[in-house]
Amino acid sequence: MQKKYKEIEKSISTELEPIYLFYGEEEYLISTLINKIKKRFGELVLGINYILIDDTNIDELISNIEIPAFGYDKKLIIVKNSNIFKKDGRKKKNSALEDKLINYFNDNFEIVKDSCVIIFNEIEVSSSELFNVIENKSISFKSDYLDIKSLVAYLKNICSLYHVNVEEKALVYLVENCGTNLRVLINELRKVIEYTGEGNTIEIDTIDKLCIKQIESVIFDLTDNIGAKKISKAIEILDNLISNKEPLQVILVTLYTHFKRLYICKISQATTNKEALIAALGIRPNHTFLIKKYQGQSKNFTQKTLRELIEALADLDYNSKIGNIDIDVGLRSILCNYCS
């Protein structure tokens, strides 16, 4: 049975269900629920009443359910990244293990209910007979990446708990620069909160000083300076990326992808089909706030220039792989040629 995060959080405080199925990309929310279940469960002794299962020992799940939790009423079994819910498109039939698990949970659910609390924790799942069986017998929660509005609300609540003031625009800036992974955002926010202090207000300058920006955000800054033909500042940003141990190949690929997205925005200026543009840009649904940034930045370049930059970066990628040029030298050359 699908439930919302808050519903599950509330129910854990009163009673534990026999089976939980947590899946999706936002692992912070899932790990928070699992920690609450572990705390509610009580004393855990690995190998006795606390069993960890993954893709290497998933075939031992049934035997671990049936072995008594010596000295304890129940055992907690966490099945993490077992891949048993990932469907192989080439296979039309269930595997022997899938059939075995389907039959077991259908025929022996009372045994599971009396002896265990089982948590299935997967990143990726597919609709399958086994998935449907487990979901029908469990409390399930799909934890997708949160949209920017939900992230800002979550972060604002943390600030209020620490009695630190913050404007929404500062939290939006934090998300835009540090990404949408909730665990990363919370870690960055804690640094800012500690620096700011109780009763004070978080400033954007503080976020710039303390927070680690994702490379995609830094590339926006780099591209702004390229568009303005500020070569010294563009080279400074490139040097900072390199000094922060960002691999040159990653910088090249990210810069190529960025200019490709600017080019797509440039040639689709008249489109009103947001879904088609999201698909063309290849961005996640919770990153749609970036569309305006791409569209705005694309105005600093002509269509011809963007195409030339994309071709130059693609040529650099090829020539660096066959040993004709060093990526670092090639990137600096491209930046200088454009800005000159």
Side-chain angles (χ1 to χ4, degrees):
M1 180 188 300
Q2 276 278 349
K3 287 198 174 184
K4 295 180 180 179
Y5 177 86
K6 288 293 184 183
E7 293 177 310
I8 300 174
E9 186 180 41
K10 184 177 179 180
S11 68
I12 288 171
S13 63
T14 57
E15 184 180 4
L16 293 180
E17 299 291 334
I19 303 177
Y20 292 92
L21 172 58
F22 301 145
Y23 60 98
E25 297 172 308
E26 185 45 82
E27 52 84 26
Y28 179 81
L29 295 179
I30 292 175
S31 64
T32 301
L33 288 176
I34 291 175
N35 287 335
K36 289 180 181 295
I37 291 171
K38 289 166 72 173
K39 186 176 180 179
R40 177 74 172 78
F41 192 87
E43 183 183 13
L44 295 171
V45 181
L46 188 62
I48 304 296
N49 73 332
Y50 180 43
I51 308 297
L52 300 177
I53 300 285
D54 57 24
D55 61 334
T56 65
N57 62 342
I58 182 61
D59 56 326
E60 299 173 8
L61 175 57
I62 293 175
S63 62
N64 274 292
I65 293 172
E66 295 185 333
I67 296 172
F70 298 102
Y72 297 91
D73 293 334
K74 290 186 177 183
K75 65 171 64 174
L76 177 63
I77 300 176
I78 297 180
V79 184
K80 184 173 183 179
N81 297 334
S82 67
N83 297 321
I84 57 171
F85 301 118
K86 285 180 70 174
K87 196 69 176 176
D88 187 340
R90 297 170 296 179
K91 295 181 181 179
K92 295 183 178 180
K93 294 183 178 180
N94 295 330
S95 67
L97 176 60
E98 284 178 297
D99 280 333
K100 187 176 180 181
L101 291 171
I102 289 166
N103 293 332
Y104 186 83
F105 281 99
N106 278 331
D107 298 340
N108 301 281
F109 184 64
E110 289 302 317
I111 294 176
V112 175
K113 191 174 179 181
D114 292 339
S115 62
C116 299
V117 172
I118 303 174
I119 303 172
F120 291 95
N121 176 16
E122 306 287 334
I123 295 175
E124 185 180 344
V125 302
S126 302
S127 180
S128 64
E129 187 179 359
L130 176 60
F131 174 78
N132 292 334
V133 167
I134 298 299
E135 187 175 47
N136 287 336
K137 296 182 181 297
S138 69
I139 297 299
S140 61
F141 169 60
K142 184 180 180 183
S143 182
D144 290 324
Y145 280 128
L146 301 177
D147 59 31
I148 191 166
K149 183 178 179 181
S150 301
L151 287 168
V152 167
Y154 200 101
L155 297 174
K156 194 168 186 177
N157 183 57
I158 292 174
C159 290
S160 65
L161 291 174
Y162 284 91
H163 306 290
V164 172
N165 304 315
V166 64
E167 291 185 14
E168 187 172 308
K169 66 179 182 180
L171 294 177
V172 170
Y173 183 80
L174 179 67
V175 174
E176 289 180 347
N177 284 276
C178 298
T180 55
N181 182 294
L182 188 54
R183 185 182 296 279
V184 171
L185 287 171
I186 290 172
N187 288 338
E188 295 300 324
L189 182 60
R190 282 174 176 161
K191 291 190 292 186
V192 175
I193 287 173
E194 186 173 345
Y195 179 88
T196 302
E198 185 175 337
N200 296 315
T201 301
I202 292 174
E203 303 290 346
I204 288 177
D205 284 349
T206 305
I207 294 173
D208 282 332
K209 289 176 184 176
L210 299 179
C211 294
I212 301 172
K213 292 185 178 182
Q214 284 199 329
I215 184 172
E216 290 82 3
S217 174
V218 179
I219 293 298
F220 267 109
D221 294 340
L222 176 61
T223 310
D224 272 338
N225 285 283
I226 295 172
K229 296 185 180 295
K230 296 179 180 178
I231 182 59
S232 59
K233 184 62 178 176
I235 294 295
E236 179 187 337
I237 294 172
L238 177 62
D239 286 338
N240 287 337
L241 281 171
I242 295 170
S243 65
N244 288 331
K245 308 299 182 183
E246 200 67 63
L248 282 165
Q249 190 65 41
V250 172
I251 297 173
L252 173 58
V253 171
T254 308
L255 196 56
Y256 172 85
T257 302
H258 188 88
F259 277 115
K260 185 178 177 182
R261 286 172 173 168
L262 295 183
Y263 183 69
I264 290 170
C265 287
K266 196 73 177 179
I267 63 177
S268 60
Q269 288 176 346
T271 185
T272 57
N273 190 332
K274 188 175 180 180
E275 287 72 24
L277 185 56
I278 291 171
L281 293 174
I283 59 178
R284 291 178 178 149
N286 66 329
H287 281 186
T288 54
F289 61 87
L290 291 175
I291 291 176
K292 287 185 178 180
K293 290 186 71 174
Y294 283 119
Q295 289 173 326
Q297 200 171 69
S298 69
K299 295 176 183 177
N300 298 328
F301 302 87
T302 65
Q303 188 173 316
K304 179 175 179 292
T305 298
L306 288 169
R307 188 169 60 250
E308 289 173 349
L309 283 166
I310 291 169
E311 290 171 355
L313 291 167
D315 288 342
L316 173 57
D317 180 56
Y318 173 76
N319 284 308
S320 68
K321 287 175 179 175
I322 62 175
N324 283 347
I325 191 171
D326 178 75
I327 294 179
D328 189 5
V329 174
L331 281 172
R332 295 172 192 276
S333 175
I334 291 171
L335 298 187
C336 290
N337 286 339
Y338 174 76
C339 292
S340 61

